Amino acid sequence: MEFGIFTVGDVTPDPATGRAPTEHERIRSMVTLALKAEEVGLDVFATGEHHNPPFVPSSPTTLLGYVAARTRRLVLSTSTTLITTNDPVKIAEDYSMLQHLADGRVDLMLGRGNTPPVYPWFGQDISQGIPLTVENYGLLHKLWRDEVVDWKGHFRTPLEGFTATPRPLDGVPPFVWHGSIRSREIAEQAAYYGDGFFHNNIFWPSEHTRQMVTLYRERYAHYGHGAPEQAIVGLGGQVFMRRRSQDAVREFRPYFDNAPVYGHGPTLEEYTARTPLTVGSPQQVVERTLGFREVAGDYQRQLFLMDHAGLPLKTVLEQLDMLGEEVVPVLRAEFAALRPAGVPETAPPHPATLRRGPDGA
């Protein structure tokens, strides 16, 4: 099983000081977190894609390309590549290029995005979000697999005799996760292509997560890709840890209360009861994360959101130390012991990564 972190790259004032990082500071901190993730033994670093304040990661391939040059082993991913407002041709070429630079250590998560104004900024209509997703991914899938593409759709100009360059490394496209919180059509799309389904369940109760993952697994089997339990599933989560749970709650509360994504709503206690957010000791994080298996079955990737809501970089690095030293080793062993034979441990790795040693050499 793979464990990692994802960032949304928000620029949020620290409620303890009132100061927000500059965009430069925030971007550099994301690089620091990626390097720290590899240092502490995590498997994946993923970045979101946003084109509006207060977020900075508007160019995931630029960030991940830089991180690729600074790391040896870490899988580099996105926690959303906008399939609706990006041109599929550009996605195909950008991520193939990144794949070559990272020697295969690349996959990506496709999503529709959750910011309505982004659609008209990029010449699209939000009411067409699902049709855009279906058509654009159909083209992207074809561009990575067919040397010469003739294609005609509704949302972009036709292609005639087009070849996307560079071609995928060794002819193997990056693995694709289809990310969704609520759209059944996206779970269906992931199942149809035999791709991964990532349910970023940071805002939703466990029963909703169960329904979405079950739908994906059933449809994955329906399309002949394997048994339901062989489908490739990823989950999101949020944690904040201190040695004593009461210290974690006390320290994190002002950040929760002022966070742009969930502040000024339910209390911290209400939110942790309803969603996967875990604020407590490392042992509590272990126990809560192991419980996700009861909801989603045996799954392949777990990503944690750690660096949001204005938390100081020093604090987040402390969190990563605890995650790498005290949480992930236990989770690896426990999930491995519970996983039945025949259930994939991870998403399919790129062949180029299998030729490299465990340290990336």
Side-chain angles (χ1 to χ4, degrees), residues 216-218 220-222 224-232 342-344:
Y216 160 67
R217 289 187 184 278
E218 290 174 350
Y220 181 94
H222 168 80
H225 299 299
E229 60 270 18
Q230 293 175 313
I232 306 299
V343 175

Side-chain angles (χ1 to χ4, degrees), residues 1 6 11 28 46 48 50 63 72 86 88 104 174 181 222-223 234 237 241 267 276-277 305 319:
M1 186 165 171
F6 71 99
V11 179
R28 298 301 306 188
H50 297 277
L63 174 63
R72 298 174 63 85
N86 282 306
I181 297 176
H222 168 80
Y223 289 115
M241 296 173 284
T267 66
L277 173 63
L305 176 61
Q319 297 291 303

Side-chain angles (χ1 to χ4, degrees), residues 10-22:
D10 59 310
V11 179
T12 303
D14 183 339
T17 64
R19 181 185 181 276
T22 66

Side-chain angles (χ1 to χ4, degrees), residues 28-313:
R28 298 301 306 188
S29 75
M30 293 162 66
V31 173
T32 299
L33 295 180
L35 302 184
K36 184 69 170 181
E38 177 159 279
E39 176 191 322
V40 301
L42 302 185
D43 304 301
V44 183
F45 172 79
T47 176
E49 178 186 346
H50 297 277
H51 299 276
N52 57 293
F55 305 98
V56 295
S58 58
S59 181
T61 52
T62 304
L63 174 63
L64 295 178
Y66 183 79
V67 173
R70 303 282 304 277
T71 56
R72 298 174 63 85
R73 185 186 51 78
L74 202 62
V75 174
L76 307 174
S77 186
T78 54
S79 50
T80 301
T81 295
L82 298 176
I83 188 62
T84 47
T85 51
N86 282 306
D87 182 356
V89 172
K90 190 67 170 131
I91 294 176
E93 295 188 332
D94 282 352
Y95 284 90
S96 287
M97 176 66 78
L98 177 61
Q99 191 189 41
H100 282 271
L101 293 173
D103 295 325
R105 296 182 291 127
V106 172
D107 59 34
L108 68 160
M109 185 194 307
L110 299 176
R112 288 186 295 144
N114 59 4
T115 308
V118 171
Y119 282 78
W121 292 344
F122 288 85
Q124 301 295 350
D125 179 356
I126 192 172
S127 69
Q128 298 299 307
I130 293 294
L132 271 166
T133 299
V134 172
E135 180 176 299
N136 283 357
Y137 183 61
L139 176 54
L140 175 61
H141 190 271
K142 189 176 183 66
L143 288 165
W144 272 336
R145 289 162 176 82
D146 294 357
E147 189 81 20
V148 180
V149 172
D150 295 306
W151 178 91
K152 185 176 182 180
H154 297 288
F155 298 107
R156 79 173 315 280
T157 54
L159 298 173
E160 184 175 346
F162 179 78
T163 298
T165 59
R167 304 304 299 153
L169 177 63
D170 296 337
V172 180
F175 184 78
V176 169
W177 303 83
H178 299 257
S180 180
I181 297 176
R182 62 188 181 276
S183 300
R184 295 170 64 87
E185 297 92 339
I186 304 306
E188 178 78 18
Q189 185 180 48
Y192 175 80
Y193 286 101
D195 295 334
F197 178 63
F198 192 94
H199 192 266
N200 195 5
N201 54 332
I202 60 176
F203 301 125
W204 289 76
S206 60
E207 186 52 39
H208 177 76
T209 302
R210 187 194 313 275
Q211 292 172 2
M212 291 291 287
V213 172
T214 298
L215 170 65
Y216 160 67
R217 289 187 184 278
E218 290 174 350
R219 300 303 290 172
Y220 181 94
H222 168 80
Y223 289 115
H225 299 299
E229 60 270 18
Q230 293 175 313
I232 306 299
V233 174
L235 296 180
Q238 301 173 83
V239 299
F240 186 85
M241 296 173 284
R242 288 303 183 202
R243 298 280 177 253
R244 301 193 311 162
S245 59
Q246 56 267 44
D247 292 337
V249 170
R250 174 185 52 77
E251 185 175 347
F252 187 66
R253 187 181 301 278
Y255 295 95
F256 174 89
D257 290 344
N258 292 280
V261 292
Y262 43 49
H264 313 289
T267 66
L268 175 59
E269 286 75 16
E270 290 170 335
Y271 205 85
T272 53
R274 297 175 187 172
T275 76
L277 173 63
T278 306
V279 181
S281 66
Q283 182 58 37
Q284 286 174 306
V285 171
V286 167
E287 293 171 359
R288 189 80 181 279
T289 306
L290 286 172
F292 295 170
R293 182 177 178 272
E294 299 174 7
V295 174
D298 291 284
Y299 61 110
Q300 285 69 38
R301 177 173 288 184
Q302 174 68 56
L303 299 183
F304 295 103
L305 176 61
M306 312 284 289
D307 68 322
H308 57 120
L311 286 164
L313 178 59

